[in-house]
Amino acid sequence: GNSVTQMEGPVTLSEEAFLTINCTYTATGYPSLFWYVQYPGEGLQLLLKATKADDKGSNKGFEATYRKETTSFHLEKGSVQVSDSAVYFCALSSRGGSARQLTFGSGTQLTVLP
Amino acid sequence: DTGVSQDPRHKITKRGQNVTFRCDPISEHNRLYWYRQTLGQGPEFLTYFQNEAQLEKSRLLSDRFSAERPKGSFSTLEIQRTEQGDSAMYLCASSSGTGGYYNEQFFGPGTRLTVL
Protein backbone atom coordinates (compact mmCIF):
# COMPACT_ATOMS: atom_id res chain seq x y z
CA GLY A 1 0.00 0.00 0.00
CA ASN A 2 0.91 3.67 -0.12
CA SER A 3 2.82 5.33 2.69
CA VAL A 4 4.66 8.57 3.42
CA THR A 5 7.48 8.95 5.91
CA GLN A 6 8.29 12.41 7.11
CA MET A 7 11.12 13.86 9.12
CA GLU A 8 10.06 13.98 12.74
CA GLY A 9 9.76 17.29 14.46
CA PRO A 10 9.46 19.63 16.03
CA VAL A 11 11.89 21.79 14.11
CA THR A 12 12.93 25.14 15.55
CA LEU A 13 14.88 27.63 13.43
CA SER A 14 15.92 31.24 13.63
CA GLU A 15 14.54 33.69 11.10
CA GLU A 16 16.42 33.62 7.76
CA ALA A 17 17.76 30.10 8.38
CA PHE A 18 17.65 27.40 5.70
CA LEU A 19 14.90 24.83 5.99
CA THR A 20 14.81 21.22 4.88
CA ILE A 21 12.02 18.81 5.80
CA ASN A 22 12.63 15.30 4.50
CA CYS A 23 9.89 13.20 2.93
CA THR A 24 10.11 9.74 1.38
CA TYR A 25 7.28 7.65 0.01
CA THR A 26 6.21 4.19 -1.00
CA ALA A 27 3.58 3.86 -3.70
CA THR A 28 2.49 1.73 -6.59
CA GLY A 29 2.88 3.30 -9.99
CA TYR A 30 3.70 6.95 -10.34
CA PRO A 31 1.99 9.03 -7.67
CA SER A 32 1.52 12.77 -7.52
CA LEU A 33 3.26 14.39 -4.57
CA PHE A 34 2.20 17.32 -2.42
CA TRP A 35 3.14 19.46 0.50
CA TYR A 36 0.29 20.79 2.59
CA VAL A 37 0.63 23.39 5.36
CA GLN A 38 -1.57 23.92 8.40
CA TYR A 39 -1.26 27.29 10.10
CA PRO A 40 -2.49 27.57 13.69
CA GLY A 41 -6.28 27.54 13.82
CA GLU A 42 -6.67 27.09 10.07
CA GLY A 43 -7.44 24.25 7.68
CA LEU A 44 -4.93 22.40 5.54
CA GLN A 45 -3.76 24.35 2.51
CA LEU A 46 -1.93 23.06 -0.53
CA LEU A 47 1.56 24.56 -0.56
CA LEU A 48 2.98 22.95 -3.69
CA LYS A 49 2.75 19.86 -5.85
CA ALA A 50 4.60 17.80 -8.47
CA THR A 51 2.93 15.29 -10.72
CA LYS A 52 5.82 13.51 -12.43
CA ALA A 53 9.45 12.62 -11.89
CA ASP A 54 11.94 15.52 -11.86
CA ASP A 55 9.14 18.08 -11.59
CA LYS A 56 9.85 20.89 -9.15
CA GLY A 57 6.94 22.37 -7.24
CA SER A 58 7.38 25.85 -5.82
CA ASN A 59 5.33 28.43 -3.94
CA LYS A 60 6.01 31.24 -1.44
CA GLY A 61 9.76 30.56 -1.59
CA PHE A 62 9.32 26.86 -0.82
CA GLU A 63 10.51 24.22 -3.29
CA ALA A 64 10.40 20.44 -3.58
CA THR A 65 11.64 18.17 -6.37
CA TYR A 66 10.04 14.82 -7.25
CA ARG A 67 12.91 12.32 -7.13
CA LYS A 68 11.76 8.95 -8.42
CA GLU A 69 15.15 7.27 -8.00
CA THR A 70 15.21 8.04 -4.26
CA THR A 71 11.40 8.12 -3.81
CA SER A 72 11.74 11.48 -2.10
CA PHE A 73 10.09 14.90 -2.11
CA HIS A 74 12.04 17.02 0.37
CA LEU A 75 10.75 20.51 1.18
CA GLU A 76 13.25 23.38 1.20
CA LYS A 77 13.25 27.10 1.76
CA GLY A 78 16.31 29.28 1.63
CA SER A 79 15.29 31.82 4.27
CA VAL A 80 12.41 31.14 6.65
CA GLN A 81 10.27 33.80 8.28
CA VAL A 82 8.34 33.83 11.55
CA SER A 83 5.15 33.62 9.49
CA ASP A 84 6.24 30.20 8.16
CA SER A 85 5.63 28.68 11.60
CA ALA A 86 3.11 25.91 10.95
CA VAL A 87 2.74 22.15 10.57
CA TYR A 88 3.86 20.77 7.21
CA PHE A 89 2.49 17.55 5.74
CA CYS A 90 3.89 15.58 2.84
CA ALA A 91 1.26 13.63 0.90
CA LEU A 92 0.76 11.52 -2.18
CA SER A 93 -2.07 10.60 -4.48
CA SER A 94 -1.98 7.46 -6.58
CA ARG A 95 -2.91 7.66 -10.20
CA GLY A 96 -4.98 4.52 -10.13
CA GLY A 97 -8.53 4.40 -8.89
CA SER A 98 -11.20 7.01 -8.90
CA ALA A 99 -10.87 8.59 -5.50
CA ARG A 100 -7.54 10.31 -5.68
CA GLN A 101 -7.46 9.96 -1.92
CA LEU A 102 -4.48 11.54 -0.26
CA THR A 103 -2.06 9.57 1.91
CA PHE A 104 -0.34 11.87 4.42
CA GLY A 105 2.81 11.74 6.46
CA SER A 106 2.63 12.43 10.18
CA GLY A 107 3.50 16.11 9.85
CA THR A 108 6.43 18.26 10.94
CA GLN A 109 5.91 21.17 13.31
CA LEU A 110 8.08 24.15 12.34
CA THR A 111 8.67 27.06 14.70
CA VAL A 112 10.63 30.06 13.45
CA LEU A 113 12.00 32.39 16.11
CA PRO A 114 12.64 36.09 15.49
CA ASP B 1 -16.34 33.09 2.38
CA THR B 2 -16.62 30.46 -0.35
CA GLY B 3 -14.38 27.82 1.20
CA VAL B 4 -15.30 24.47 2.73
CA SER B 5 -17.20 24.87 5.98
CA GLN B 6 -17.79 22.38 8.76
CA ASP B 7 -20.18 22.38 11.67
CA PRO B 8 -19.77 22.15 14.56
CA ARG B 9 -16.14 23.14 15.08
CA HIS B 10 -16.01 21.37 18.42
CA LYS B 11 -18.09 18.57 19.89
CA ILE B 12 -17.81 17.01 23.32
CA THR B 13 -19.89 13.93 23.95
CA LYS B 14 -20.13 11.03 26.35
CA ARG B 15 -19.18 7.53 25.37
CA GLY B 16 -22.09 5.69 23.80
CA GLN B 17 -23.79 8.78 22.38
CA ASN B 18 -24.36 9.41 18.68
CA VAL B 19 -22.89 12.46 16.96
CA THR B 20 -23.37 13.97 13.52
CA PHE B 21 -21.11 16.39 11.69
CA ARG B 22 -21.89 18.46 8.64
CA CYS B 23 -19.69 19.56 5.75
CA ASP B 24 -20.56 22.14 3.12
CA PRO B 25 -18.15 21.91 0.18
CA ILE B 26 -17.23 24.59 -2.30
CA SER B 27 -20.39 24.96 -4.35
CA GLU B 28 -19.12 23.85 -7.76
CA HIS B 29 -17.16 20.86 -6.45
CA ASN B 30 -18.60 17.43 -7.19
CA ARG B 31 -16.13 15.42 -5.10
CA LEU B 32 -16.21 15.35 -1.32
CA TYR B 33 -13.85 13.56 1.07
CA TRP B 34 -13.80 12.82 4.78
CA TYR B 35 -10.54 12.33 6.69
CA ARG B 36 -9.76 11.72 10.34
CA GLN B 37 -6.73 13.23 12.06
CA THR B 38 -5.54 12.12 15.49
CA LEU B 39 -3.09 14.08 17.59
CA GLY B 40 0.41 14.13 16.14
CA GLN B 41 -0.61 12.27 12.99
CA GLY B 42 -1.50 13.20 9.46
CA PRO B 43 -5.04 12.93 8.15
CA GLU B 44 -6.28 9.44 7.25
CA PHE B 45 -8.79 8.88 4.45
CA LEU B 46 -12.24 7.72 5.52
CA THR B 47 -14.57 7.99 2.54
CA TYR B 48 -15.23 9.74 -0.74
CA PHE B 49 -18.29 10.90 -2.68
CA GLN B 50 -18.66 11.82 -6.30
CA ASN B 51 -21.86 13.79 -6.42
CA GLU B 52 -24.28 11.78 -4.23
CA ALA B 53 -22.58 8.42 -4.75
CA GLN B 54 -20.29 7.08 -2.05
CA LEU B 55 -17.58 5.45 -4.15
CA GLU B 56 -14.91 4.47 -1.64
CA LYS B 57 -14.75 3.64 2.05
CA SER B 58 -11.66 3.00 4.11
CA ARG B 59 -11.45 0.01 6.42
CA LEU B 60 -11.13 2.65 9.16
CA LEU B 61 -14.82 3.36 8.63
CA SER B 62 -16.37 0.79 10.95
CA ASP B 63 -20.06 -0.15 11.02
CA ARG B 64 -20.63 2.61 13.57
CA PHE B 65 -19.75 5.24 10.99
CA SER B 66 -22.04 6.32 8.20
CA ALA B 67 -21.72 9.15 5.72
CA GLU B 68 -24.26 10.60 3.33
CA ARG B 69 -24.41 13.22 0.64
CA PRO B 70 -28.09 13.08 -0.30
CA LYS B 71 -28.29 15.78 -2.95
CA GLY B 72 -24.70 15.90 -4.03
CA SER B 73 -24.11 19.08 -2.06
CA PHE B 74 -23.52 19.02 1.72
CA SER B 75 -22.49 15.82 3.50
CA THR B 76 -23.01 14.41 6.98
CA LEU B 77 -20.84 12.01 8.93
CA GLU B 78 -22.54 10.17 11.78
CA ILE B 79 -20.82 8.15 14.47
CA GLN B 80 -23.05 5.87 16.51
CA ARG B 81 -22.23 4.61 19.99
CA THR B 82 -19.11 6.74 20.23
CA GLU B 83 -15.99 5.33 21.85
CA GLN B 84 -13.04 7.17 23.37
CA GLY B 85 -10.92 6.05 20.43
CA ASP B 86 -13.15 8.12 18.14
CA SER B 87 -11.73 11.31 19.64
CA ALA B 88 -10.04 13.08 16.72
CA MET B 89 -10.31 15.93 14.27
CA TYR B 90 -12.68 15.10 11.41
CA LEU B 91 -11.74 16.89 8.21
CA CYS B 92 -13.81 17.42 5.12
CA ALA B 93 -12.35 18.32 1.73
CA SER B 94 -13.81 18.95 -1.69
CA SER B 95 -12.51 19.07 -5.23
CA SER B 96 -13.73 19.33 -8.75
CA GLY B 97 -13.50 16.11 -10.73
CA THR B 98 -12.35 16.07 -14.30
CA GLY B 99 -11.45 12.64 -15.54
CA GLY B 100 -8.45 10.77 -14.17
CA TYR B 101 -6.27 13.67 -13.20
CA TYR B 102 -5.66 15.01 -9.74
CA ASN B 103 -7.71 18.01 -8.73
CA GLU B 104 -6.62 19.99 -5.66
CA GLN B 105 -8.54 19.11 -2.53
CA PHE B 106 -9.62 22.11 -0.45
CA PHE B 107 -9.95 21.38 3.23
CA GLY B 108 -12.35 22.72 5.80
CA PRO B 109 -11.28 23.76 9.32
CA GLY B 110 -12.39 20.44 10.79
CA THR B 111 -14.64 19.29 13.64
CA ARG B 112 -12.78 18.34 16.81
CA LEU B 113 -14.56 15.49 18.60
CA THR B 114 -13.83 14.66 22.23
CA VAL B 115 -15.44 11.54 23.67
CA LEU B 116 -15.45 11.44 27.47
Side-chain angles (χ1 to χ4, degrees):
Chain A
N2 297 337
S3 67
V4 175
T5 301
Q6 241 181 279
M7 170 178 162
E8 290 189 13
V11 174
T12 302
L13 296 173
S14 298
E15 203 164 26
E16 299 183 2
F18 183 84
L19 169 71
T20 299
I21 301 177
N22 290 339
C23 171
T24 57
Y25 67 88
T26 301
T28 54
Y30 302 96
S32 295
L33 302 174
F34 312 90
W35 279 98
Y36 275 80
V37 60
Q38 190 169 35
Y39 297 104
E42 298 185 18
L44 282 165
Q45 302 173 24
L46 180 64
L47 180 60
L48 53 83
K49 69 179 182 183
T51 57
K52 61 182 187 296
D54 300 324
D55 267 2
K56 177 185 283 188
S58 61
N59 186 25
K60 299 181 181 179
F62 291 89
E63 293 183 340
T65 302
Y66 189 143
R67 300 289 188 198
K68 180 170 176 288
E69 61 278 10
T70 55
T71 61
S72 65
F73 193 55
H74 306 320
L75 182 69
E76 296 183 335
K77 186 174 185 182
S79 176
V80 293
Q81 305 300 311
V82 172
S83 58
D84 293 328
S85 297
V87 182
Y88 293 81
F89 293 92
C90 185
L92 68 82
S93 173
S94 292
R95 290 184 182 273
S98 62
R100 301 294 183 267
Q101 61 179 267
L102 291 167
T103 300
F104 287 88
S106 57
T108 302
Q109 171 81 54
L110 171 66
T111 301
V112 181
L113 303 176
Chain B
D1 186 7
T2 57
V4 178
S5 61
Q6 294 187 244
D7 183 70
R9 295 289 303 274
H10 304 273
K11 178 71 177 178
I12 300 174
T13 190
K14 293 182 179 179
R15 188 178 55 184
Q17 298 296 304
N18 299 344
V19 294
T20 300
F21 311 139
R22 177 180 170 122
C23 170
D24 287 272
I26 293 170
S27 59
E28 62 268 26
H29 284 177
N30 61 337
R31 292 180 174 175
L32 187 147
Y33 311 78
W34 285 98
Y35 292 84
R36 182 176 69 185
Q37 185 178 16
T38 53
L39 199 62
Q41 298 299 316
E44 296 173 294
F45 171 77
L46 291 179
T47 189
Y48 152 72
F49 291 84
Q50 179 145 333
N51 301 311
E52 65 275 10
Q54 188 174 17
L55 296 185
E56 286 199 26
K57 294 198 304 185
S58 161
R59 64 182 183 279
L60 294 175
L61 214 65
S62 74
D63 291 346
R64 298 184 296 106
F65 289 70
S66 62
E68 293 183 344
R69 194 182 183 198
K71 298 181 180 179
S73 56
F74 74 91
S75 176
T76 58
L77 178 68
E78 181 183 15
I79 308 174
Q80 295 182 328
R81 304 181 303 281
T82 52
E83 302 173 355
Q84 289 184 325
D86 297 331
S87 296
M89 179 76 85
Y90 290 84
L91 299 172
C92 177
S94 70
S95 73
S96 58
T98 54
Y101 295 96
Y102 176 82
N103 298 95
E104 179 182 348
Q105 293 183 26
F106 293 82
F107 282 81
T111 294
R112 181 169 296 283
L113 172 66
T114 301
V115 181
L116 302 177

